[in-house]
Amino acid sequence: MRTDLLMNFSVDKENKTVNVKREFDAPLSNVWAAWTEPEILDLWWAPAPFISKTKTMDFKEGGRRLYAMVGPDGTERWSYFEYSSISPKTNFKHSATFSDGEGNPNSEFGSSYWDISFSEQNGSTIVDIHIRRDSFEELQKIIEMGFKEGFTSAMQGLDKILAEKK
């Protein structure tokens, strides 16, 4: 497994965004499937030692994924995605909102707005992610909660899943 894969993580405080550019040593079709099929998504979406558990997922414009990140002690932290735009194997956009197990939003947190683009270069796939929050305070809160570390860990988990498909 390659260890020299691109991983850029930057925070743009002025625009309330996190930008992540990540390279995967896998074809575009495998990476796209890993981001859009619940059976694969659950294998890597949560940072270890958490696991991801999808309750429902309808990957289409206007569709929704309701899932939990389950801790080693069984504690479930629920969220949902609402898909607003899908261009197959190129880009999709969704909001991400903390919720309860029925998908009712948690009023303590606003939503994140994800714009995820995919491109293939020299046998690798580049995933370019832009995540926007409504306020700098919300952005600061998710960063303080360990978003960078958790997302980096999840990306490493995805590397392992993709390596097994080779």
Side-chain angles (χ1 to χ4, degrees):
M1 187 163 60
R2 286 182 46 196
T3 56
D4 63 336
L5 298 169
L6 171 71
M7 171 69 178
N8 289 335
F9 187 103
S10 62
V11 176
D12 180 344
K13 294 177 182 179
E14 187 177 321
N15 291 307
K16 305 173 292 266
T17 60
V18 170
N19 300 302
V20 181
K21 192 169 194 171
R22 182 62 156 76
E23 178 183 10
F24 295 96
D25 185 21
L28 175 61
S29 58
N30 290 4
V31 176
W32 178 263
W35 282 80
T36 61
E37 296 175 16
E39 305 79 21
I40 306 171
L41 199 50
D42 277 345
L43 296 175
W44 67 270
W45 184 251
F50 288 81
I51 61 167
S52 176
K53 177 179 80 173
T54 297
K55 185 173 184 178
T56 60
M57 183 167 167
D58 190 11
F59 185 71
K60 67 177 187 182
E61 289 184 12
R64 183 185 254 214
R65 174 188 184 220
L66 177 61
Y67 71 98
M69 287 194 186
V70 184
D73 63 356
T75 303
E76 297 178 341
R77 295 186 177 104
W78 289 91
S79 296
Y80 63 86
F81 296 164
E82 284 187 328
Y83 299 102
S84 58
S85 170
I86 298 172
S87 299
K89 295 189 179 174
T90 305
N91 174 275
F92 68 89
K93 297 175 183 174
H94 68 77
S95 60
T97 306
F98 291 107
S99 69
D100 63 18
E102 302 306 312
N104 299 304
N106 179 335
S107 60
E108 292 178 40
F109 294 93
S111 297
S112 296
Y113 303 94
W114 293 58
D115 184 346
I116 308 164
S117 297
F118 299 77
S119 61
E120 204 163 22
Q121 297 174 359
N122 304 320
S124 293
T125 300
I126 305 293
V127 180
D128 200 358
I129 307 158
H130 297 276
I131 306 163
R132 182 181 51 79
R133 297 293 298 196
D134 287 327
S135 72
F136 173 72
E137 292 74 26
E138 288 179 12
L139 178 67
Q140 191 68 28
K141 194 177 210 179
I142 65 165
I143 291 169
E144 287 171 1
M145 290 169 59
F147 178 75
K148 179 180 182 179
E149 297 78 10
F151 198 62
T152 300
S153 173
M155 296 290 96
Q156 292 165 344
L158 179 52
D159 284 330
K160 290 176 186 161
I161 299 298
L162 294 168
E164 291 169 7
K165 287 188 161 254
K166 282 193 149 193

